[in-house]
Amino acid sequence: MKQITYYNERDIKIRKKIDELKRKLPNFCSDYTISELSSGNSTLTVYNYLTDLSVFFDYLAEEYKINSSAISIKILEELLPKDINVFLEYQRMGRSKEWNGKIIESKSGNKALARKLSSIKSLYRYLFNNDMIKSNITTKISTPKIQMQDNVIRRLDKEQRNQMLDAPDNKIIFGDKQAKYLENTLERDRAIISFFLATGVRVSELVGLNINDIDLDRKYFDITRKGGKIERLYFADDLSFILKKWTQKRKSINLPKNENAFFISLQKKRMSVSAVEKMIAKYGYAVLNKKLSPHKLRATYGTELYNKTGDIYKVATALGHSSVDTTRRHYADIDEQKKKDIAGVVKVGR
């Protein structure tokens, strides 16, 4: 199987961002970064850790009146659990900053706070395990509770799902300029929306698809999951028909010889994650008058699959979750109808 280069290219870009971040962070963060990467964490995960840590170090730098890169291990070791909690509360309350002449308020909810604390705990754990600090104070800090409704992924109902599937064919018009674009993107947009709703792939998995990864006759495609694992998934005749229409359109485009991406932008190159997100959002606002993301389409697929199979393990496999607990946590309300069905099955009367 030919290696998918999109993910290699993405890793190179993320590694460059990591290198840029490390230059602004204390020296010990370099060894920490190497440790996290060698332990199997993805480059994106490590980049997110460093991004959160840079916010933490900026906060400490302001408190100590020094540069972020000058934060020492000694400073971290002298912090108390209450100091970390004050930082988290500072993030919760929000802060203002000027950007492009505008004042922007930035606040962190419990989910963002939990992520920041996780990054801080990761660093402290590394320092403690390598005998660079005497104790790990972060073990005494409780993770902010995330309300169950915040974890429940919102999805489309059956009518909304069908409206989204029909949107490209109904030639939803957003203005003369958008109407002109639609002439060139109709088959592609229909294929992308259908692909999400029929397979539940992640947006990064979709944009990473190459033309040779899809076999329309045998109805399967190969995707690269999180962690680099290549997995083969299958699809039905209805999606095969839609993908063939897009493939025919794609062949009519005068693409560069080295461009093997399956989904192509108007610039005749691989679509980016942000481009797909904007396209889905555009249809969401036009058709449903609401914010919509590829993740909600993925959630719609996951919910429909569970409702039809009743098998949480099949849903976990289809969505590429490493643990069924992840599936159960994110789709916490899919058993609601089953709970209602139970009512009245056992009678108390005679």
Side-chain angles (χ1 to χ4, degrees):
M1 185 181 298
K2 188 176 179 180
Q3 182 64 39
I4 300 177
T5 59
Y6 163 77
Y7 297 94
N8 295 331
E9 294 171 356
R10 188 181 66 174
D11 269 1
I12 291 173
K13 291 178 181 178
I14 295 174
R15 285 179 184 273
K16 286 181 179 179
K17 291 182 178 180
I18 288 175
D19 289 339
E20 292 173 3
L21 264 179
K22 284 195 301 182
R23 286 194 286 269
K24 302 175 183 178
L25 298 174
N27 290 333
F28 56 82
C29 285
S30 292
D31 290 335
Y32 162 75
T33 300
I34 294 172
S35 174
E36 289 300 306
L37 289 171
S38 62
S39 66
N41 284 321
S42 69
T43 52
L44 183 58
T45 295
V46 175
Y47 173 70
N48 288 334
Y49 278 169
L50 294 180
T51 300
D52 288 333
L53 288 174
S54 68
V55 175
F56 178 54
F57 286 129
D58 284 344
Y59 167 81
L60 292 178
E62 187 174 337
E63 291 293 306
Y64 284 87
K65 308 301 179 186
I66 57 178
N67 292 327
S68 297
S69 58
I71 300 295
S72 65
I73 293 178
K74 183 180 179 181
I75 288 177
L76 295 182
E77 192 169 27
E78 290 177 348
L79 292 177
L80 300 174
K82 69 175 183 179
D83 297 318
I84 307 293
N85 282 321
V86 168
F87 161 72
L88 295 175
E89 188 59 29
Y90 174 79
Q91 296 296 308
R92 185 196 307 278
M93 292 176 63
R95 56 212 180 277
S96 300
K97 64 179 180 179
E98 185 175 341
W99 186 75
N100 280 355
K102 297 181 180 179
I103 301 297
I104 298 176
E105 292 288 337
S106 177
K107 295 183 179 181
S108 294
N110 280 2
K111 188 173 182 180
L113 292 174
R115 191 193 66 237
K116 287 182 172 64
L117 179 57
S118 176
S119 300
I120 295 171
K121 285 189 172 186
S122 172
L123 175 62
Y124 268 84
R125 186 165 53 247
Y126 163 78
L127 295 175
F128 179 72
N129 290 342
N130 287 276
D131 299 320
M132 300 168 76
I133 55 176
K134 294 179 181 179
S135 63
N136 181 359
I137 62 163
T138 63
T139 59
K140 301 178 181 179
I141 304 173
S142 300
T143 300
K145 292 183 178 179
I146 303 173
Q147 296 298 320
M148 184 57 71
Q149 61 263 29
D150 293 337
N151 257 344
V152 175
I153 302 174
R154 302 303 171 192
R155 74 266 321 161
L156 303 181
D157 59 30
K158 186 174 181 180
E159 183 180 354
Q160 292 170 329
R161 174 186 180 277
N162 291 337
Q163 284 180 295
M164 281 298 296
L165 285 170
D166 294 340
D169 286 317
N170 287 340
K171 295 181 171 56
I172 300 296
I173 303 300
F174 313 93
D176 293 339
K177 187 177 181 180
Q178 290 291 336
K180 185 177 181 180
Y181 285 153
L182 189 59
E183 294 177 6
N184 298 313
T185 66
L186 172 62
E187 291 84 1
R188 184 203 68 188
D189 293 356
R190 182 201 302 127
I192 289 175
I193 294 172
S194 300
F195 207 98
F196 279 128
L197 289 171
T199 67
V201 296
R202 298 177 176 89
V203 62
S204 60
E205 295 166 348
L206 180 134
V207 301
L209 282 169
N210 287 338
I211 189 70
N212 294 328
D213 293 329
I214 300 180
D215 190 318
L216 296 176
D217 294 324
R218 288 184 281 186
K219 302 180 186 65
Y220 71 75
F221 62 97
D222 297 318
I223 56 170
T224 301
R225 294 292 200 186
K226 283 184 175 180
K229 178 185 177 183
I230 297 177
E231 188 172 339
R232 177 162 292 179
L233 298 177
Y234 298 83
F235 51 87
D237 291 336
D238 51 356
L239 181 59
S240 178
F241 175 79
I242 294 171
L243 294 180
K244 284 179 180 179
K245 288 288 186 180
W246 160 239
T247 303
Q248 292 170 2
K249 177 68 176 181
R250 186 185 180 281
K251 287 179 180 178
S252 69
I253 303 172
N254 186 24
L255 296 173
K257 291 183 178 180
N258 63 344
E259 184 52 76
N260 60 355
F262 186 68
F263 290 111
I264 302 297
S265 70
L266 290 174
Q267 289 72 41
K268 299 182 179 181
K269 61 182 182 180
R270 184 185 303 274
M271 291 186 75
S272 65
V273 168
S274 62
V276 174
E277 289 174 338
K278 289 177 182 177
M279 186 270 282
I280 296 298
K282 177 182 69 175
Y283 280 106
Y285 280 117
V287 179
L288 307 175
N289 194 30
K290 65 190 299 183
K291 185 177 181 180
L292 192 62
S293 67
H295 202 61
K296 285 185 173 63
L297 300 185
R298 171 175 160 84
T300 300
Y301 165 82
T303 303
E304 187 170 354
L305 180 62
Y306 180 78
N307 287 339
K308 289 187 176 181
T309 65
D311 192 330
I312 196 72
Y313 292 95
K314 286 183 179 178
V315 178
T317 299
L319 295 178
H321 288 160
S322 57
S323 168
V324 72
D325 290 335
T326 302
T327 315
R328 200 183 307 279
R329 185 171 68 251
H330 287 308
Y331 295 86
D333 65 344
I334 55 181
D335 280 329
E336 192 65 25
Q337 186 56 49
K338 291 184 179 298
K339 292 176 184 177
K340 291 179 181 179
D341 293 341
I342 291 173
V345 171
V346 177
K347 305 292 185 181
V348 294
R350 299 191 179 192

